[in-house]
Amino acid sequence: MPSTDLYDVIRTRRDVRAEFTGETVPDDVLRRVLSAAHAAPSVGHSQPWDFVLVRDTDTRRVFQRHVATERDTFAATPDGERRRTFERIKVEGVLESGLGVVVTYDPDRGGPAVLGRHAIADAGLYSTCLAIQNLWLAATAEGLGVGWVSFYRERFLQDLLGIPSRVRPVAWLCVGPVSRLQEVPDLERHGWRRRRPLEASVHHERYGATDAAATSRPRPS
């Protein structure tokens, strides 16, 4: 049964690679998930995203080979134990998931003067990432898994899917039913990187002030 508690969904969400069953996502479920993504906030209400649904096996196979090449490229960069750790990590479920959702960003959406973007050019890109997060959480609530593939060259994916050169492919998301969601994120389970505690990420009043009491101390005049 789909989870409806937001905090539970956030806690259980995972970047899925190996747990896809290959089953099809029902059309009504996919529409709900995409509707949640499309409901994301966006700078100037520009809604600069689009969703390319990729089901064709041949297309996914071509993309998976490209991803494998880029994985090999990265695998040559770490040394020693770090390289051996990476060798154990699966980075995609392109073929296993059965559905790829490519989320794109169109910087021209909303016209030449997008309200709120004049000072921060990347605000539209941030908006697209919010749509991705909405999609991911909605999919998790529906009992689906999502895996964000980032081992690709943007130009390759543009050519593969006929995406105009001005439009950026921000993410290839593998989406589909899963056998389970891991309790611990893959990169943490395999020893690539540990989760950073919240306390180390919170600053009070000024960057670097992690002690709340420090903000009450008088500053030098």
Side-chain angles (χ1 to χ4, degrees), residues 3 5-16 140-141 181-183:
S3 170
D5 182 86
L6 175 61
Y7 288 97
D8 184 53
V9 169
I10 292 172
R11 180 186 62 80
T12 57
R13 181 215 58 82
R14 288 291 175 267
D15 195 353
V16 178
T140 303
L181 293 176
Q182 293 287 349
E183 286 290 325

Side-chain angles (χ1 to χ4, degrees), residues 143-191:
L144 302 176
V146 176
W148 187 329
V149 182
S150 57
F151 282 74
Y152 68 86
R153 304 289 174 171
E154 290 186 17
R155 180 59 184 271
F156 179 90
L157 193 48
Q158 287 172 326
D159 292 343
L160 180 64
L161 300 183
I163 299 170
S165 59
R166 75 174 192 285
V167 176
R168 292 189 64 181
V170 178
W172 178 298
L173 304 176
C174 303
V175 181
V178 291
S179 57
R180 61 173 178 145
L181 293 176
Q182 293 287 349
E183 286 290 325
V184 179
D186 282 1
L187 298 188
E188 195 170 352
R189 285 192 305 113
H190 290 296

Side-chain angles (χ1 to χ4, degrees), residues 74-75 77-89 189-193:
F74 178 79
T77 58
D79 295 324
E81 183 59 33
R82 199 68 168 160
R83 179 178 296 183
R84 288 188 288 275
T85 298
F86 178 71
E87 288 173 352
R88 300 194 296 268
I89 297 173
R189 285 192 305 113
H190 290 296
W192 182 260
R193 189 175 298 279

